[in-house]
Amino acid sequence: DTGVSQNPRHKITKRGQNVTFRCDPISEHNRLYWYRQTLGQGPEFLTYFQNEAQLEKSRLLSDRFSAERPKGSFSTLEIQRTEQGDSAMYLCASSSQPDTEAFFGQGTRLTVV
Amino acid sequence: AQSVTQLDSQVPVFEEAPVELRCNYSSSVSVYLFWYVQYPNQGLQLLLKYLSGSTLVESINGFEAEFNKSQTSFHLRKPSVHISDTAEYFCAVYRQGGKLIFGQGTELSVKP
């Protein structure tokens, strides 16, 4: 297993366009998390899944954001009608248990122009 | 509510000097604490963690952190830093459900 994989690594999009990111967790991990990190800040929690169930969403996750994890494997994060304020690094992490180490992917850097 | 404060946004230090990166947390319940390291344009890597037991935890590359419940601190230390330690360091506290609350980060810059 090569760890948590995120695609694409970089995405440049025009304001108003929709974008979708993918995260492939470590195969035996049933928990998957999404975080957003802006320049000079620590990651901020967005949402998490246990298997296919989305158990919590942060207030940061506006109506333009949606995340899915069909079949409890990979996950997608979609942002509709992107805004310049959405520019950030989007990080995915997975873990096998809630109180064990979360392994992070390398992130998807989104730039909205 | 739980929160994490990293007291220094930037720490410049010369190679082979000791360093301490400070982290304070607020929590009304038992805590699990973590330090993550992030190299440029990379994701986060776990450096060390405190879950229970000994309050002094160590990493494989010479870092250590001490959980101090009375001072609500989890400072990261290394007695002698290397150029390769240059990175951003994040302190985090585990919150119910497994999500992490991160501090703002400390940029460690090691100069020759």
Side-chain angles (χ1 to χ4, degrees), chain A residues 2-66:
Chain A
T2 56
V4 179
S5 176
Q6 290 188 248
N7 288 289
R9 290 291 310 279
H10 303 275
K11 178 71 176 179
I12 300 174
T13 190
K14 292 184 178 179
R15 188 173 50 190
Q17 297 294 304
N18 299 342
V19 294
T20 300
F21 311 140
R22 176 177 171 128
C23 171
D24 287 90
I26 294 172
S27 57
E28 64 268 24
H29 287 181
N30 60 5
R31 290 203 167 221
L32 186 147
Y33 306 84
W34 284 100
Y35 292 83
R36 181 174 71 184
Q37 184 180 21
T38 54
L39 201 61
Q41 299 295 319
E44 297 172 294
F45 169 78
L46 292 178
T47 187
Y48 85 95
F49 293 83
Q50 179 166 313
N51 299 315
E52 66 276 10
Q54 188 173 18
L55 296 186
E56 186 174 345
K57 295 193 292 186
S58 161
R59 291 173 297 172
L60 294 175
L61 216 62
S62 75
D63 291 344
R64 296 185 296 106
F65 288 70
S66 62

Side-chain angles (χ1 to χ4, degrees), chain B residues 51-66:
Chain B
L51 302 181
S52 64
S54 173
T55 57
L56 184 65
V57 290
E58 299 176 349
S59 73
I60 58 173
N61 57 354
F63 283 95
E64 64 179 30
E66 186 165 16

Side-chain angles (χ1 to χ4, degrees), chain A residues 59-96:
Chain A
R59 291 173 297 172
L60 294 175
L61 216 62
S62 75
D63 291 344
R64 296 185 296 106
F65 288 70
S66 62
E68 295 181 342
R69 193 184 182 196
K71 302 179 183 178
S73 56
F74 71 92
S75 176
T76 58
L77 178 67
E78 181 183 15
I79 309 174
Q80 296 181 327
R81 305 181 302 282
T82 52
E83 302 173 356
Q84 286 189 321
D86 297 331
S87 295
M89 174 82 89
Y90 290 84
L91 295 165
C92 175
S94 70
S95 68
S96 57

Side-chain angles (χ1 to χ4, degrees), chain A residues 9 31 33 35 37 40-45 48 56 89 91 98-107 109, chain B residues 32 34 36 38 41-46 49 51 88 90 94-105:
Chain A
R9 290 291 310 279
R31 290 203 167 221
Y33 306 84
Y35 292 83
Q37 184 180 21
Q41 299 295 319
E44 297 172 294
F45 169 78
Y48 85 95
E56 186 174 345
M89 174 82 89
L91 295 165
D99 57 354
T100 57
E101 176 184 354
F103 291 83
F104 282 80
Q106 293 189 313
R109 182 169 294 284
Chain B
Y32 297 158
F34 304 83
Y36 280 84
Q38 186 177 36
N41 297 314
Q42 299 292 318
L44 281 73
Q45 301 172 32
L46 181 68
K49 61 186 176 184
L51 302 181
E88 188 95 20
F90 293 96
Y94 160 91
R95 194 172 166 187
Q96 188 174 7
K99 60 187 181 231
L100 295 166
I101 307 300
F102 287 89
Q104 304 93 319

Side-chain angles (χ1 to χ4, degrees), chain B residues 29-90:
Chain B
V29 298
S30 298
V31 293
Y32 297 158
L33 293 158
F34 304 83
W35 275 98
Y36 280 84
V37 59
Q38 186 177 36
Y39 298 99
N41 297 314
Q42 299 292 318
L44 281 73
Q45 301 172 32
L46 181 68
L47 195 57
L48 45 76
K49 61 186 176 184
Y50 171 78
L51 302 181
S52 64
S54 173
T55 57
L56 184 65
V57 290
E58 299 176 349
S59 73
I60 58 173
N61 57 354
F63 283 95
E64 64 179 30
E66 186 165 16
F67 170 60
N68 188 319
K69 187 175 182 179
S70 62
Q71 297 187 359
T72 61
S73 68
F74 191 55
H75 300 333
L76 181 69
R77 301 184 183 95
K78 189 170 185 180
S80 176
V81 293
H82 301 290
I83 298 286
S84 59
D85 294 323
T86 295
E88 188 95 20
Y89 291 79
F90 293 96

